[in-house]
Structure formats: structure tokens, C-alpha cells
Amino acid sequence: MRTTRLAPSPTGALHLGNARTFLVNWLLARQQGWRIVLRIEDLDGPRIKAGADRLAIEDLQWLGLDWDQGPIYQSTRQEKYSSAIRSLLDAGLAYPCVCSRKETLAAASAPHAEDGSAVYPGTCRGKYASPEEARRLTGKPPAIRFAAPAEIVRFDDAFLGPQATNVATELGDFVIAKADGTAAYQLAVVVDDAEMGVTDIVRGDDLLDSTPRQILLYRAMKASERIPRYFHLPLVVGTDGRRLAKRHGDTRLAAYREAGVSASRVTRLLARWCGIDAPAGIHSRDLLDWFDLSRLPRGRAVFTEQDDAWLRGR
Ligand SMILES: [Zn+2]
């Protein structure tokens, strides 16, 4: 059985941009008969906002999206992640790192991507026999990094087409456990997707460079046969070309709901960003008849002030 997941992160409310990705994910799943798991990605400690998980669930339901299993909270699954991290360490595929973020940035030759993170230069690779030893010698609790092999990772994205990345040189050895022992995003997602039988992942193209890293983790965990099919969708941006965020006004679904905007009206705007000119009064379920991935615009959808005014009926 093919399976996908809706995976909101309760670090903030759902806005129109996330909502559009979730809608496409749901439409594909319901058209193709995939099972849907709802997974709350709440590992990002201090950035998690209390109650944001309930709000995300409410937002998804308000949009008319449903799922077959969950919610499953990542924060309840740390034991599974720890055991995967331990196996990777034992196999020599991961290593402890005691570098601070500052050191990592200073030692890196080239800044990477828009988030300003840098390619980790591998300072601690091969330096310590174990996390315990790293801690004893440096007095610092180590993070754990995956040792990226020197090879090009290829995959065929179901929306973007063939992709190729040299993780070692373009992205570097990446963190799979933070210094406090919590699993990092890449590791947790792969452990979960593999165990939950996820076969199809639909997400924003801001996560495109996570995919080759996750593929390496599947291989390292000897789960290559479980590598899912990926669909990376262009994000919704503001008129400044930057991804939808607070600077573009309050685009939270909750804000529109509170302002009396109907789910149907929001769905119509989301549908337009999917290449569908939907009539008034439609619901997500109605879009199942019209949605066609091949007609999803290839470029980024742009949210304008006129869109906001239209939603609010001005
Ligand atoms: Zn290091």
C-alpha cells in the first residue's frame, strides 16, 4: 500500500504557503488512494510553540483535509532515533563533533544556501573513538554528524525531474543528533518514514537539499528499498520573491478564519495556485475531480496584496 504523510511542524501556525503544499499532498493521496499519516514534527525544542500542534490539526481540518492514521508525535519517538544513531556510530558511518556553530562557520570556505549555513569542513571526522571519549577529552557534549561519502547522489523527483548532488562537497557532513542527544531533522524523518512505510513524500522545494542527505541515511541504515518517491513543489512567495512569511502580512489560516473568511474562499485561492479556476463554494474534496499534477504551475506562486484583499472580500 502506498503511503504519504502530512507533517506539520508546530513551530508556527499554518499559513497560505504551507496550506497549499498540504492541499496538493492530500489531493494526490486521495486521487491515488495512498494512505495518509499525520505526523507532528515537534523535535525542534525551543522553537516549538505550545498548542501549535492542535492549531495545525484544526487548520488542516478546517481546510477539509483528513488522514488515516495519527497524529504521531516525533517527541514520543526519541528511543527509536537514539537506537538508529547508535547503530550508525557503531558502523563507523557517523561521528561525534564538538565544534560550535561559530567554529563551523569560521572554518568553512563557502557559505551555503539562503539560510547562511556553511559546509562543515569535517574537523572532527576520525578524531574521537566515541561520543563518550569526545566528551571526556573536550568537556563538551558532542553532536553527532553523518559522514557523507564522496559520491554523487541521484534521484528522480516526480515533479522536478532528475536531481544530482554531491552531499560531501555541497552540503557536508550533517548533524543527525544535537549535543543534547535529541535527533536532528534528517535522521528523525528517515527513521519515521522508513518505519511508517512512507512511499511518497510531497513537500516544498525548500527541502530539496534534504533529500540527498536522507537518501544517504536510508542507504546507511540498509533500507535502500524503502527510499520514497519525492515530489518537491515550488513555494509560495511574496511580491518580493521571498518565501511567504510574517513580512508579507498575517497569512495564517487562523487569522483569515478569525476574520470571517470561509474555508471555501481560501481553498479557491489555493486551487488557483494549483492551476485550477474553481467556482465559489467549493471544498477541497471537489478539487479531486480537477486536480492534475501536470498542470501545477512550474514557477513559484506569488501572493499579492490583491489576493489578501480578495480573500477578505474587499
Ligand atoms: Zn566538529
Side-chain angles (χ1 to χ4, degrees):
M1 172 131 213
R2 299 202 74 90
T3 298
T4 190
R5 75 305 204 276
L6 300 176
S9 174
T11 50
L14 248 63
H15 58 62
L16 292 170
N18 320 126
R20 193 264 207 157
T21 308
F22 285 125
L23 176 65
V24 172
N25 195 350
W26 181 86
L27 287 168
L28 273 170
R30 289 297 179 236
Q31 277 186 340
Q32 308 288 328
W34 306 339
R35 188 173 69 100
I36 303 177
V37 180
L38 177 67
R39 185 170 77 216
I40 308 291
E41 301 199 334
D42 58 345
L43 283 184
D44 211 350
R47 293 183 56 230
I48 301 300
K49 296 198 176 66
D53 58 322
R54 296 312 309 174
L55 190 60
I57 291 171
E58 232 175 274
D59 285 342
L60 293 170
Q61 287 170 334
W62 182 70
L63 270 183
L65 312 190
D66 60 357
W67 44 89
D68 308 302
Q69 190 192 342
I72 295 170
Y73 286 78
Q74 285 192 321
S75 55
T76 64
R77 296 172 49 77
Q78 182 59 40
E79 255 172 65
K80 307 225 178 224
Y81 308 141
S82 298
S83 118
I85 291 159
R86 177 49 66 183
S87 305
L88 291 171
L89 280 166
D90 290 347
L93 299 170
Y95 60 88
C97 167
V98 291
C99 299
S100 66
R101 189 173 150 71
K102 211 170 134 202
E103 286 165 338
T104 307
L105 288 173
S109 49
H112 165 256
E114 29 184 315
D115 61 9
S117 61
V119 175
Y120 174 69
T123 320
C124 299
R125 209 202 252 225
K127 219 166 167 180
Y128 309 103
S130 65
E132 295 70 28
E133 186 188 276
R135 183 170 198 144
R136 188 155 34 81
L137 293 177
T138 66
K140 291 193 255 182
I144 308 296
R145 284 183 189 270
F146 180 74
E151 64 180 84
I152 294 178
V153 180
R154 294 174 200 281
F155 71 98
D156 202 5
D157 189 276
F159 187 72
L160 297 176
Q163 306 290 317
T165 311
N166 186 327
V167 175
T169 59
E170 291 173 47
L171 303 166
D173 295 346
F174 54 90
V175 173
I176 55 172
K178 296 169 203 166
D180 66 4
T182 343
Y185 170 77
Q186 311 289 1
L187 185 283
V189 161
V190 171
V191 169
D192 287 348
D193 287 335
E195 189 193 287
M196 295 168 190
V198 170
T199 55
D200 294 89
I201 294 179
V202 181
R203 58 189 181 191
D205 64 10
D206 53 328
L207 287 170
L208 186 57
D209 68 9
S210 286
T211 300
R213 289 182 268 201
Q214 293 176 9
I215 289 174
L216 287 176
L217 287 177
Y218 276 97
R219 292 187 194 155
M221 292 176 188
K222 302 208 170 12
S224 298
E225 77 288 353
R226 300 205 181 169
I227 294 172
R229 182 163 57 154
Y230 294 92
F231 300 73
H232 288 93
L233 310 178
L235 295 181
V236 177
V237 295
T239 44
D240 56 359
R242 296 164 76 189
R243 82 154 91 162
L244 211 55
K246 282 210 179 85
R247 59 181 164 268
H248 301 110
D250 195 349
T251 65
R252 291 175 305 127
L253 296 193
Y256 289 112
R257 190 161 66 228
E258 281 152 27
V261 177
S262 70
S264 173
R265 205 163 174 88
V266 169
T267 305
R268 272 177 86 192
L269 177 65
L270 302 179
R272 178 148 61 74
W273 289 337
C274 297
I276 302 168
D277 185 14
I282 53 120
H283 296 284
S284 299
R285 199 159 279 284
D286 304 318
L287 297 175
L288 288 170
D289 293 334
W290 296 315
F291 179 76
D292 178 353
L293 185 67
S294 68
R295 270 194 265 154
L296 193 81
R298 312 300 297 181
R300 303 195 146 183
V302 181
F303 174 75
T304 65
E305 275 177 36
Q306 288 85 333
D307 292 328
D308 182 67
W310 178 84
L311 279 176
R312 294 170 190 278
R314 285 193 204 119

